[in-house]
Amino acid sequence: MRELAGWPRNADTRDIRDVFEQALAESGIGLPDRGLARRHALRRMAARLIDGEITPADLATDDWWETAVGTAAEQSFVALIPQCDCCIEYTLGLDQQTWAAQLRNAALALTVSPPIGPGC
C-alpha cells in the first residue's frame, strides 16, 4: 500500500499520515474524530461479515466491543462481539451457530440502517 502512495516500503507511517492529512486539508476534507472513525469502521466490518470476507470469530481479534456506539443498530452488533477469540467458546459454549446467526442478523441491520454521516 505504501508503494501505491509513492512512498518506499520502509517509510515511517507518521510521515505518510502527515502528508495524507495535508492533502485532505488542501482538498477541504477534515478527518473524523477517533470515535466517529471507529463507528464508520464498525459499519464496514459488518458489511465484510455479511459479504463473507471475514468470519464472526475475526471480530474478536480487535477491541470492537469497546467501540462507543451511537445507534441501536450499532449497539446490537457490538453487544454480540466477544472481547477475545478465546471468549467465544468460553461464553458461548456449544451454541456458536446461534451466536453467528445473531451476529450476521445484527450486521445486516447495521448495514441497512441510515448512515451516521459521510463516509459510510
Side-chain angles (χ1 to χ4, degrees):
M1 178 96 145
R2 291 180 186 166
E3 292 86 4
L4 294 176
W7 288 80
R9 179 175 289 280
N10 60 349
D12 187 331
T13 56
R14 290 173 296 204
D15 293 336
I16 295 170
R17 182 175 175 88
D18 291 345
V19 171
F20 177 69
E21 288 178 358
Q22 180 182 352
L24 288 176
E26 290 173 4
S27 300
I29 301 170
L31 286 174
D33 66 56
R34 180 167 166 70
L36 182 58
R38 285 291 286 184
R39 290 176 64 200
H40 283 292
L42 185 69
R43 183 178 287 264
R44 287 190 302 275
M45 290 299 290
R48 291 182 64 209
L49 178 68
I50 292 166
D51 292 341
E53 295 176 21
I54 60 171
T55 67
D58 290 333
L59 292 171
T61 61
D62 198 354
D63 59 354
W64 293 110
W65 58 275
E66 288 184 327
T67 302
V69 297
T71 68
E74 291 172 345
Q75 175 59 41
S76 295
F77 185 62
V78 168
L80 291 167
I81 300 174
Q83 294 183 13
C84 63
D85 56 353
C86 62
C87 293
I88 294 171
E89 188 171 330
Y90 175 73
T91 59
L92 302 172
L94 299 175
D95 200 13
Q96 291 184 27
Q97 289 181 331
T98 300
W99 166 71
Q102 290 173 341
L103 189 61
R104 288 183 198 287
N105 288 339
L108 182 58
L110 177 56
T111 59
V112 299
S113 67
I116 54 176
C120 284

